[in-house]
């Protein structure tokens, strides 16, 4: 199930302390000197130990950092995808140009075959000088055609390299997307774990202050 990535916020319950509350409506029976509505003692609330609180804070900070890292990955993926879209447009333009070259070569081939057919049919009727001139023109055209074919082969080979490189980038982008998906799911699992183990659990505010002070001192010492 896909979930939307949201920034985390550490939300701890307000610290609770065991309290004794006196019932303001308590009445004393003058006959037996007994309190009709005795003092009510609230059940003691179990607080997280300092180590448990520290672990929860550490996990929340780790989750927050991971959320930011995932956002950075998502931004990098988006940038790569946009760049690949632009490259695709360029590649498609090159493919279209190559297609036109191929069509030109095919048309020239058909024209040369037609010329050969015509020259063969008319050769017996032509003067020697004219036949020679037309043969030379035909040979020149076939030689030029050979050059055209070589140019198309070279262009196709170059385009093949571009196709392969583009395909590799597409595969890399797909892998990047899958890695982000997996990382995001693990992050959600970690966040759910924190909610189950730490969310809405009471703690001593003095413990929190002490832990924050420790962290500040550790960060300053780096």
């Amino acid at each position: 199930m896909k979930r939307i990535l949201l920034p985390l916020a550490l939300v701890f319950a307000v610290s609770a302390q065991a309290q004794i509350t006196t019932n303001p409506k308590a009445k004393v029976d003058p006959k037996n000197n007994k309190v009709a509505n005795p003092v009510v003692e609230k059940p003691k609330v179990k607080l997280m130990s300092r180590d448990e609180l520290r672990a929860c804070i550490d996990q929340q900070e780790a989750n927050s950092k991971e959320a930011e890292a995932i956002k950075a990955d998502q931004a990098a993926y988006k940038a790569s995808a946009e760049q690949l879209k632009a490259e695709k447009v360029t590649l498609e333009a090159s493919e279209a140009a190559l297609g036109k070259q191929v069509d030109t070569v095919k048309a020239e081939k058909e024209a040369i075959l037609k010329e050969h057919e015509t020259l063969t049919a008319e050769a017996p009727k032509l003067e020697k000088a004219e036949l020679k001139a037309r043969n030379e023109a035909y040979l020149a055209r076939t030689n030029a055609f050979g050059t055209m074919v070589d140019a198309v082969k070279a262009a196709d080979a170059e385009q093949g390299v571009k196709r392969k490189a583009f395909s590799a980038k597409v595969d890399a982008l797909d892998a990047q997307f899958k890695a982000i998906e997996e990382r995001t799911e693990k992050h959600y699992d970690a966040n759910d774990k924190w909610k189950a183990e730490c969310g809405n659990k009471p703690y001593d505010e003095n413990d929190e202050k002490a832990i924050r002070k420790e962290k500040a001192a550790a960060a300053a010492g780096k």
Side-chain angles (χ1 to χ4, degrees):
M1 178 179 70
K2 297 293 182 280
R3 294 173 283 190
I4 300 174
L5 179 63
L6 295 173
L8 298 177
L10 176 60
V11 181
F12 284 108
V14 177
S15 61
Q17 302 287 349
Q19 299 178 0
I20 302 297
T21 302
T22 302
N23 189 340
K25 297 182 180 180
K27 297 179 181 179
V28 178
D29 186 342
K31 295 181 179 180
N32 52 26
N33 200 30
K34 291 183 179 180
V35 179
N37 296 309
V39 173
V40 178
E41 181 177 350
K42 289 186 177 181
K44 293 183 179 180
V45 178
K46 184 179 180 181
L47 304 178
M48 283 194 289
S49 69
R50 183 171 295 189
D51 286 341
E52 289 173 334
L53 180 59
R54 183 183 291 105
C56 285
I57 292 175
D58 288 344
Q59 184 59 51
Q60 187 277 332
E61 291 178 349
N63 288 350
S64 295
K65 289 180 180 179
E66 182 66 1
E68 292 302 318
I70 290 172
K71 285 183 179 180
D73 281 352
Q74 290 172 333
Y77 171 81
K78 184 178 180 180
S80 296
E82 291 299 323
Q83 182 179 351
L84 207 57
K85 285 181 182 178
E87 288 186 23
K88 182 181 179 183
V89 172
T90 302
L91 183 66
E92 288 175 343
S94 297
E95 292 286 358
L98 179 61
K100 288 181 179 180
Q101 280 183 277
V102 172
D103 290 341
T104 299
V105 169
K106 288 180 178 179
E108 181 63 7
K109 178 182 178 181
E110 292 299 322
I112 289 174
L113 291 174
K114 184 65 176 177
E115 182 177 350
H116 180 269
E117 182 182 343
T118 301
L119 184 58
T120 301
E122 296 178 356
K125 304 175 185 179
L126 299 175
E127 295 290 336
K128 187 176 181 180
E130 184 179 358
L131 179 59
K132 180 181 179 183
R134 289 182 64 173
N135 275 328
E136 288 176 351
Y138 174 79
L139 289 174
R141 189 173 187 179
T142 56
N143 289 334
F145 176 75
T147 302
M148 289 176 63
V149 171
D150 290 341
V152 169
K153 287 181 179 179
D156 184 59
E158 183 179 351
Q159 192 68 8
V161 173
K162 292 179 181 179
R163 294 186 198 109
K164 186 175 181 180
F166 181 79
S167 179
K169 289 182 179 180
V170 171
D171 290 341
L173 189 66
D174 287 341
Q176 186 179 2
F177 179 79
K178 290 178 181 178
I180 292 174
E181 273 195 322
E182 291 176 2
R183 187 174 188 179
T184 301
E185 285 302 316
K186 289 180 180 179
H187 167 66
Y188 284 134
D189 289 341
N191 193 33
D192 289 342
K193 183 175 182 291
W194 180 88
K195 288 179 181 179
E197 296 179 355
C198 306
N200 298 323
K201 289 190 176 180
Y203 63 95
D204 191 323
E205 289 183 351
N206 290 326
D207 285 341
E208 182 190 11
K209 290 177 181 179
I211 293 170
R212 301 291 184 190
K213 187 175 181 180
E214 289 173 8
K215 287 182 170 292
K222 290 183 179 179

